[in-house]
Amino acid sequence: MGPVSLDVARKPWEKWVDGEVDRSMWAWTKALMLLVLGITMLALLAEPLIHSVQNVSNSATIPSFFVSFILVPLATNARAAVTAIQTASQRKERTTSLTFSEIYDGVFMNNVLGFSVLLAVVYFRGLVWHFTAELLVVFIVCIVMGTAAGFRSKFPVWTSIASYLLYPLSLIFVYVFADFQ
């Protein structure tokens, strides 16, 4: 047996053909089917999650804004954050760069997926839209993160600080922009 090559950039679900990701029509179809399945699951489970967040908020006498925008994101992303910190602690340039890339990817994908589900719920249920400030902030964060991750393959340390500062800054933006509505 020859030497085993481990590529840190490879994700477990990617199929490699001659050193490249499988971009066949079946791979695209499978990806779209999984995306639709995920959006459907989110749409079906959104209401129970909302009720659970409201119940936790009422039981703990914590404002629902704090639970929704601080505790829930921390809880859902805690495992990824711990893994990212452990990987970055190896102090290798390549693994640290890939860790930051995963963080940027997670921020971008969470916002885009969350926004698409929210828009679908608003549209299909005929709800009134009162989220202009929040939408603007999500859009700003997505543009900043997408631009940062789209043009670089290696990330200096200052980009991680900037990305972490976008979270409290986005909460401040929501507060400020909400006054203009």
Side-chain angles (χ1 to χ4, degrees), residues 22-42:
D22 179 14
R23 298 184 192 276
S24 67
M25 185 55 90
W26 169 245
W28 282 98
T29 305
K30 182 179 175 183
L32 287 174
M33 288 188 313
L34 289 173
L35 183 66
V36 169
L37 175 66
I39 290 172
T40 304
M41 289 172 55
L42 283 172

Side-chain angles (χ1 to χ4, degrees), residues 158-174:
W158 68 266
T159 58
S160 67
I161 296 168
S163 66
Y164 283 118
L165 288 177
L166 277 175
Y167 183 69
L169 190 63
S170 65
L171 293 176
I172 292 169
F173 280 161
V174 167

Side-chain angles (χ1 to χ4, degrees), residues 44-76:
L44 293 174
L45 298 174
E47 195 165 340
L49 176 63
I50 291 169
H51 291 299
S52 297
V53 167
Q54 287 175 341
N55 290 340
V56 166
S57 174
N58 292 338
S59 298
T61 62
I62 299 173
S64 60
F65 178 84
F66 181 80
V67 173
S68 300
F69 289 100
I70 295 176
L71 294 182
V72 171
L74 285 175
T76 57

